[in-house]
Amino acid sequence: MSLRALGAETAARLRAAESLNAVLHWSEAHLEHEVARLEGGPLGPLAGMPVAVKDNIVTLDLPTTCASRILEGYVSPYEATAIRRLRAAGGMVAAKTNLDEFAMGSSTEHSAFGRVHHPLDPALVPGGSSGGSGALVAAGVVPAALGSETGGSVRQPAAFCGVVGVKPSYGRVSRFGLVAFGSSLDCISVFGRTVSDAARVLSAISGEDARDATTLAEPPMPVPEPRADLKGLTIGLPKEYFPQDLDPGVRAGMDRAIARIRDLGARTVEVSLPHSPYAVPTYYILAPAEASANLARYDGVRYGPPRPGGLPDVRALYQATRGNGFGPEVRRRILIGTYVLSAGYYEAYYGKAQRMRARIADDFSQVFARGVDLLFTPTTPTPAFRAGEKTEDPVQMYLADIFVCAVSLAGLPGMSLPIGRSGGLPIGGQLIAPYGADGPMLAAAAALERVLDGTEEVR
Amino acid sequence: MTWETVIGLEVHVQLGTRTKMFCGCAALYGEDPNTNVCPVCLGLPGALPVPNAEAITLGTRAALALNCTVHPVSVFARKNYFYPDLPKGYQISQFDRPLATGGRLVIESPERGRLEVGITRLHLEEDAGKS
């Protein structure tokens, strides 16, 4: 297929998928520009692959709003390092996708521009915060998409939507150009229809970046050779991730996947990550704390929509801008973050959460040090839930991340792979690897993908 | 009652670097506004700071000249407040783990002879309000 035909096909699919509300910005002109840029030159390893990009990663030409009114109409004067590398490798930016505002959410219901609909059932959520990117890949509009994770926001929607979602080791991909939410947690991450597509995109965008001092001092990750089987590997099953009351469909999917893992020659062993129950509370102290500082720059002074006039002082400007520009979930988290960092409470909340974070990370280190190569767990406690089901109780919404957020706290690579369907809804299995072992994790996932049909009913 | 006067001095010193503390923009005065700027010092969404190595060298040199203990590991921390001349809504400074601590400066006073002035700490930060 020629680049020109690929561009036209992508445009047609974007138009056909409008009812998902997964896209915030795209245009024929922009796609044509991307095609023209690649025409007549080397195609690079991504060979013209159209890739959708979550709208909290800055791009040239297409706006970056983070699904927030406070950045409505904002066009960045620079592009993220990950985008520059994606395009240099022959990828095309297809569209900017919808998300929970400033990446804060687990359902993409907190966007200022309407929620995203699950491609299989519009009454359901696609997960979040990278729900737009996940939905577009699941709907077959693009083969891959970029999202971001702070506490599971690519793995969780990947599980809900039935696609592959990969969070790399923290520092594997430059954060320069990713709008900061939780700086010590944020990772640009990848959705793909297959492990191979996700791995190719991850390889293209990875590598040390002088503009991001937290990147790993390593060259771009090579595309890993897929494993033929799992012989010689020990896969740990952390007991805290298999509670008695696990959704029966998820349990059936996991049982089937674990049987396949054994068929492929791996040894499975029960392990324990004892501080697991503290992951969600720890995350919801640390992430809001970092967010309260990272979102302080949105004050209406230098960028954003036109300022309200006639205000008596600068404080009134801030209140008008931020009070109206930020949605309720963003304001909730800024308030929590400011509170836990305030004098008198700093040690009790933030200090304690920092120490707990170290213990959570240590749980993983200890297990990996004892001959376990990878961990395998459910990605989410249930399949996709209905829109509106969890919006009344923020804590219920936060618990959707119960199996994914410890990995973020520990900075480890993790991914979700579709392992089957329950009542027609996708279920994801999660692989977790030691820090830096992104390649081996993807290689093992490729072997499992070959023997598991993600569209098959599990019970 | 006898009273002893104790005066603490907080001295801000602009280091002689060619570029700014956390980005590669020229640290020059007198140009047209918004000339020596970039996404980092403007605090644009997604921009990240990278510490100026020369500033760390000069700061360390000053610390040694002041007989301080230089700490191989120090931490940049955010000082959060809102002000229109503060692009990020925080100033990157150092708080509980500064570059250097515990020094002294010996001076000769005409009235009192040799005096030792204690240096509590020395740290690096970006100059708030001078982006």
Side-chain angles (χ1 to χ4, degrees):
Chain A
M1 184 182 254
S2 72
L3 280 172
R4 203 153 279 276
L6 184 54
E9 180 61 28
T10 303
R13 291 185 188 197
L14 281 166
R15 243 179 269 116
E18 261 162 23
S19 63
L20 295 178
N21 198 36
V23 175
L24 291 178
H25 326 287
W26 81 280
S27 73
E28 303 250 25
H30 181 262
L31 270 170
E32 276 159 27
H33 170 78
E34 287 290 84
V35 166
R37 183 177 55 84
L38 288 176
E39 263 178 343
L43 276 184
L46 294 181
M49 186 192 279
V51 179
V53 174
K54 186 178 185 182
D55 205 31
N56 65 346
I57 298 171
V58 299
T59 52
L60 300 166
D61 310 319
L62 290 176
T64 303
T65 65
C66 302
S68 179
R69 299 237 170 262
I70 217 167
L71 277 179
E72 199 164 4
Y74 174 71
V75 180
S76 175
Y78 77 101
E79 67 182 353
T81 296
I83 299 297
R84 187 166 43 81
R85 290 178 176 174
L86 178 79
R87 296 166 86 217
M92 302 197 290
V93 174
K96 300 300 288 295
T97 60
N98 205 353
L99 60 151
D100 279 299
E101 189 180 356
F102 281 104
M104 298 180 185
S106 306
S107 65
T108 317
E109 292 175 280
H110 292 300
S111 165
F113 307 115
R115 72 175 183 89
V116 174
H117 301 263
H118 194 294
L120 293 176
D121 181 346
L124 304 183
V125 301
S129 60
S130 310
S133 282
L136 275 192
V137 174
V141 174
V142 285
L146 296 188
S148 74
E149 286 229 355
T150 306
S153 291
V154 160
R155 284 167 289 147
Q156 187 251 29
F160 278 12
C161 290
V163 296
V164 173
V166 183
K167 174 206 174 290
S169 301
Y170 179 85
R172 175 73 67 198
V173 178
S174 172
R175 288 182 298 115
F176 189 76
L178 169 65
V179 179
F181 158 14
S183 312
S184 74
L185 299 152
D186 290 340
C187 289
I188 291 182
S189 302
V190 183
F191 290 96
R193 298 279 289 178
T194 63
V195 173
S196 167
D197 281 341
R200 287 165 63 209
V201 172
L202 182 57
S203 173
I205 62 175
S206 63
E208 185 176 15
D209 182 14
R211 291 189 174 90
D212 175 358
T214 63
T215 49
L216 270 174
E218 273 176 29
M221 182 194 82
V223 180
E225 201 56 48
R227 288 183 72 111
D229 54 49
L230 301 176
K231 289 202 192 103
L233 290 182
T234 300
I235 311 279
L237 306 171
K239 64 180 199 222
E240 293 82 5
Y241 287 61
F242 294 87
Q244 292 282 54
D245 58 353
L246 188 61
D247 176 276
V250 173
R251 184 172 289 280
M254 289 302 292
D255 287 343
R256 192 175 83 128
I258 291 165
R260 294 281 185 281
I261 285 173
R262 292 180 183 136
D263 291 342
L264 284 169
R267 185 172 77 101
T268 60
V269 56
E270 189 190 77
V271 297
S272 174
L273 299 168
H275 294 88
S276 299
Y278 301 107
V280 168
T282 300
Y283 176 81
Y284 280 101
I285 289 171
L286 296 177
E290 298 191 13
S292 70
N294 283 323
L295 270 64
R297 66 191 62 197
Y298 304 105
D299 55 13
V301 173
R302 281 149 299 121
Y303 42 78
R307 294 194 281 274
L311 295 166
D313 55 32
V314 75
R315 193 185 190 84
L317 171 67
Y318 295 153
Q319 285 173 337
T321 305
R322 295 165 66 83
N324 295 322
F326 286 141
E329 183 60 30
V330 171
R331 280 183 274 131
R332 179 178 295 122
R333 295 199 194 191
I334 292 173
L335 287 169
I336 291 172
T338 308
Y339 181 81
V340 302
L341 289 174
S342 62
Y345 295 105
Y346 185 96
E347 257 312 302
Y349 287 105
Y350 184 74
K352 195 145 213 172
Q354 286 282 56
R355 290 191 290 281
M356 183 54 72
R357 181 179 186 175
R359 291 190 186 212
I360 289 168
D362 197 55
D363 278 359
F364 287 100
S365 303
Q366 291 206 33
V367 164
F368 287 131
R370 280 194 231 112
V372 171
D373 300 295
L374 294 167
L375 298 173
F376 186 60
T377 80
T379 307
T380 57
T382 66
F385 47 85
R386 303 186 73 78
E389 196 179 295
K390 297 189 195 286
T391 45
E392 294 306 298
D393 184 347
V395 176
Q396 277 309 305
M397 185 70 85
Y398 298 163
L399 288 170
D401 292 332
I402 200 163
F403 296 144
V404 289
C405 84
V407 171
S408 301
L409 288 168
L412 301 177
M415 62 182 288
S416 184
L417 187 62
I419 60 174
R421 301 241 170 128
S422 169
L425 293 181
I427 299 170
Q430 171 174 235
L431 283 168
I432 305 167
Y435 185 75
D438 308 53
M441 177 182 73
L442 287 160
L448 190 54
E449 178 185 50
R450 255 208 309 282
V451 301
L452 264 180
D453 183 349
T455 63
E456 222 167 54
E457 274 291 320
V458 294
R459 39 175 217 140
Chain B
M1 296 187 77
T2 326
W3 296 93
E4 183 194 15
T5 306
V6 179
I7 300 171
L9 296 177
E10 180 179 306
V11 180
H12 290 241
V13 177
Q14 181 174 338
L15 298 174
T17 60
R18 196 177 50 82
T19 57
K20 298 183 184 180
M21 181 68 215
F22 289 106
C23 68
C25 293
L28 291 173
Y29 289 85
E31 308 262 11
D32 285 342
N34 300 322
T35 308
N36 293 319
V37 293
C38 75
V40 178
C41 53
L42 285 174
L44 295 190
L48 295 174
V50 179
N52 183 321
E54 178 67 4
I56 294 170
T57 300
L58 294 176
T60 305
R61 188 183 295 169
L64 291 170
L66 291 168
N67 299 291
C68 294
T69 304
V70 177
H71 303 293
V73 177
S74 65
V75 176
F76 284 111
R78 297 173 173 181
K79 189 169 167 183
N80 294 283
Y81 62 96
F82 288 96
Y83 206 64
D85 73 357
L86 189 62
K88 298 184 296 301
Y90 56 85
Q91 175 196 16
I92 301 176
S93 180
Q94 295 192 296
F95 184 57
D96 54 2
R97 294 186 67 184
L99 178 67
T101 51
R104 71 188 197 287
L105 179 67
V106 178
I107 58 173
E108 283 292 328
S109 154
E111 295 87 10
R112 293 158 66 188
R114 185 181 180 281
L115 283 180
E116 229 178 66
V117 179
I119 308 288
T120 307
R121 56 182 277 152
L122 178 152
H123 76 242
L124 290 170
E125 63 181 24
E126 61 183 345
D127 196 347
K130 295 275 192 329
S131 290

